[in-house]
Amino acid sequence: MPTPSTPRSDRSSSSTTKEKILDAAEELFSELGYDATSLRAVTKTAGVNLAAVNYHCGSKLGLFRAIFERRIGPLNRERLAALERARERVGEGKVIPLGEVLRAFFEAPVRMAAREDPGFRRFLRIAGRMQSASGDHANALVPVFAEVREHFHAALRAALPHLDDRDFSWRLHLLIGAMCTLFADPQRIAILSQGHCDPENPDEVLAQLIAFGKGALGAPSKEPLDEDGAAEGPA
Amino acid sequence: MPTPSTPRSDRSSSSTTKEKILDAAEELFSELGYDATSLRAVTKTAGVNLAAVNYHCGSKLGLFRAIFERRIGPLNRERLAALERARERVGEGKVIPLGEVLRAFFEAPVRMAAREDPGFRRFLRIAGRMQSASGDHANALVPVFAEVREHFHAALRAALPHLDDRDFSWRLHLLIGAMCTLFADPQRIAILSQGHCDPENPDEVLAQLIAFGKGALGAPSKEPLDEDGAAEGPA
DNA sequence: GGATAATTCAAACGTATGATTGAAACGGGC
DNA sequence: GCCCGTTTCAATCATACGTTTGAATTATCC
């Protein structure tokens, strides 16, 4: 029963074995997926012994969970804090405007991915892929997003009184799917848009996500009866 | 070099070996993913010999491609036909309204998945997952969607003159991501919405996708300068 | 109905995987 | 300076994988 209380007193020389493993696994999982990544490839990339991952994480599934344990806390905290700031800004009982809620929802992951640490970007890619994955490793982290989801669900619901429950659920689900697709492979849009879009620019990504989300969530509830479905967007 | 010219004269008793393989593979790939599905599981489910898949499809990757070869033709044809019908409806040089283009884009997969054949639903699930997958099997079918994508790209572009190229590319990419997430796991929204949403009802799915897409794509190009991001959706 | 091609089958091949072992090396506390 | 808990390491286990083989079986054509 190894319960590493104080892993190392001196970690000046690079990093812990476990951190090296997590970094390597993050990289490989994000590029190859869970199944296609072998522990041998992980330990080789990390420059550690094969048995180290079982020692530090217990199993391959434990390694996957450990990746999330390292990153999900800061991300969730930042998201909820941003929502709280928005709530304080508008006042106690007031409804937070849609754009503000969406900004609070998108800003943390976008900004954190843009900061120098490439590990977080890779983590986001893994997380985005889990939206449409199955298996133990995917099921293991359903609860991990539950709290954030509930808070933003409530805030968005309040900002969208014109929608009934069904419309609201549909749109929120689709919007999260759009976000996850973006996170799952940011480079794809750079290629498909032939360079028009720059997924490396956090301001651009954020602005686009918010504009997209506002339009999608804020669209009218029931289709107006006129048949021509021309864009009613531009004021 | 087996080149099965006429596979079978009598196929009254159930189906061909290859069809049994494709059906089983479709089921397992859609539930477990490509890597987690073994040929042994496929052949066992299909009730055929293990070597049959290599005989009929060449390899596991060939099996994956064969699944797409069977389904993608009818889907693409139906989508392009729907777009063509919409084009004829509005007249030669006219711009097809956004809602019509979106309907042509979404209707075929939604309707085809709703018809009795459960195989197509599974195929859609596989296809949706490929949006955020990597590896040979995912790369193998990039060109498979190219033609449809180009046609709808052009039609949507014409319907959205108020957007610049960058905004347009962002929104289209995000919209396709939202759709793929839905196809990749239709049951998820039924669970997360606590039964409010019924992904089995094609009319509901179609209406929601179109409403979502119209709002998302049709949203104003540049953020209005007023700071409160209240929903401008409801007229 | 016999030759010929197409298909099915059981068995095996070589390799890769996740996990485990037990001994060796390391580290801090006294 | 020795002891003990922690960590590393090479070696190995059992299993699962995709693929291949060659013989047996079945369908097709003349």
Side-chain angles (χ1 to χ4, degrees):
Chain A
M1 303 337 156
T3 313
S5 51
T6 311
R8 191 70 53 90
S9 61
D10 163 46
R11 71 169 61 176
S12 60
S13 68
S14 69
S15 55
T16 309
T17 294
K18 181 163 185 180
E19 283 170 342
K20 284 192 270 192
I21 291 174
L22 290 179
D23 290 339
E26 218 163 37
E27 179 179 340
L28 292 171
F29 280 150
S30 74
E31 288 175 5
L32 309 173
Y34 180 80
D35 292 308
T37 299
S38 72
L39 296 186
R40 283 171 171 81
V42 170
T43 52
K44 191 170 190 177
T45 302
V48 305
N49 188 273
L50 169 61
V53 44
N54 284 290
Y55 175 77
H56 285 285
C57 304
S59 66
K60 187 181 183 180
L61 183 56
L63 168 59
F64 188 78
R65 276 201 274 244
I67 289 178
F68 271 79
E69 278 168 21
R70 178 169 69 160
R71 303 279 186 193
I72 204 69
L75 174 60
N76 285 353
R77 212 166 313 130
E78 190 53 48
R79 268 180 157 165
L80 292 176
L83 185 60
E84 204 48 48
R85 284 196 298 272
R87 196 188 308 281
E88 287 168 3
R89 219 178 301 131
V90 300
E92 183 73 31
K94 296 271 192 62
V95 171
I96 312 171
L98 175 58
E100 305 271 328
V101 183
L102 290 176
R103 177 175 297 276
F105 189 57
F106 294 136
E107 191 157 31
V110 170
R111 298 257 181 246
M112 291 169 83
R115 286 198 246 286
E116 69 283 357
D117 182 5
F120 191 85
R121 177 163 224 125
R122 292 171 185 145
F123 162 74
L124 258 196
R125 217 178 146 184
I126 299 173
R129 282 196 181 174
M130 289 307 104
Q131 173 78 359
S132 57
S134 53
D136 289 344
H137 64 289
N139 300 334
L141 45 88
V142 171
V144 149
F145 291 107
E147 189 192 2
V148 166
R149 184 175 182 111
E150 283 166 22
H151 277 82
F152 279 91
H153 182 103
L156 289 169
R157 191 73 193 86
L160 295 162
H162 70 291
L163 296 179
D164 61 29
D165 285 346
R166 192 174 57 157
D167 288 352
F168 174 74
S169 292
W170 271 104
R171 298 194 193 176
L172 179 55
H173 182 74
L174 291 172
L175 178 61
I176 290 176
M179 177 192 70
C180 286
T181 301
L182 175 64
F183 291 162
D185 190 357
Q187 283 316 111
R188 178 170 295 218
I189 191 179
I191 297 167
L192 288 176
S193 72
Q194 294 169 323
H196 282 123
C197 308
D198 179 14
E200 312 274 345
N201 178 352
D203 293 321
E204 178 178 338
V205 174
L206 194 52
Q208 293 293 343
L209 277 173
I210 293 173
F212 182 92
K214 280 177 74 171
L217 294 186
S221 177
K222 288 300 171 196
E223 189 64 7
L225 292 182
D226 59 20
E227 247 303 289
D228 79 325
E232 66 269 355
Chain B
M1 300 341 156
T3 313
S5 52
T6 312
R8 190 69 53 89
S9 60
D10 164 45
R11 69 170 59 176
S12 61
S13 67
S14 70
S15 55
T16 308
T17 294
K18 182 162 185 180
E19 282 171 341
K20 284 192 271 193
I21 292 174
L22 289 180
D23 290 341
E26 217 164 38
E27 179 178 340
L28 292 171
F29 280 150
S30 75
E31 287 174 7
L32 308 172
Y34 180 81
D35 291 310
T37 299
S38 71
L39 296 187
R40 282 172 171 81
V42 170
T43 52
K44 191 171 189 175
T45 302
V48 303
N49 188 272
L50 169 59
V53 45
N54 284 288
Y55 176 77
H56 286 284
C57 305
S59 67
K60 186 180 184 181
L61 182 57
L63 167 60
F64 187 77
R65 275 200 275 243
I67 289 178
F68 271 78
E69 279 169 20
R70 181 170 66 160
R71 302 280 187 193
I72 205 70
L75 174 60
N76 285 353
R77 211 166 315 132
E78 190 53 49
R79 268 179 156 165
L80 292 177
L83 184 61
E84 203 48 47
R85 284 195 298 272
R87 195 188 308 280
E88 288 168 4
R89 216 177 303 130
V90 300
E92 182 73 29
K94 296 272 192 59
V95 171
I96 311 171
L98 175 59
E100 305 270 329
V101 183
L102 290 175
R103 177 175 297 276
F105 189 58
F106 293 137
E107 191 156 31
V110 170
R111 298 260 181 242
M112 290 170 83
R115 287 198 245 287
E116 70 283 357
D117 180 6
F120 191 85
R121 177 162 224 126
R122 292 171 185 144
F123 162 73
L124 258 195
R125 222 181 140 180
I126 299 173
R129 280 195 182 176
M130 288 308 104
Q131 174 77 359
S132 57
S134 53
D136 289 343
H137 63 291
N139 300 333
L141 44 88
V142 170
V144 150
F145 291 107
E147 189 192 2
V148 166
R149 184 173 182 115
E150 283 166 22
H151 277 81
F152 280 90
H153 181 103
L156 290 169
R157 191 71 192 87
L160 295 162
H162 69 291
L163 296 178
D164 61 29
D165 285 345
R166 192 174 58 157
D167 287 354
F168 175 74
S169 292
W170 270 107
R171 298 194 192 176
L172 179 55
H173 182 76
L174 291 172
L175 179 61
I176 289 176
M179 177 192 70
C180 286
T181 301
L182 175 63
F183 291 162
D185 190 356
Q187 283 315 112
R188 177 170 296 217
I189 192 178
I191 298 168
L192 289 175
S193 72
Q194 294 169 322
H196 282 122
C197 307
D198 179 14
E200 312 274 345
N201 178 351
D203 293 322
E204 178 177 339
V205 174
L206 194 51
Q208 292 294 342
L209 277 174
I210 292 172
F212 182 91
K214 279 178 74 171
L217 295 186
S221 176
K222 288 298 171 197
E223 189 65 6
L225 291 180
D226 60 18
E227 247 303 290
D228 79 326
E232 66 268 355

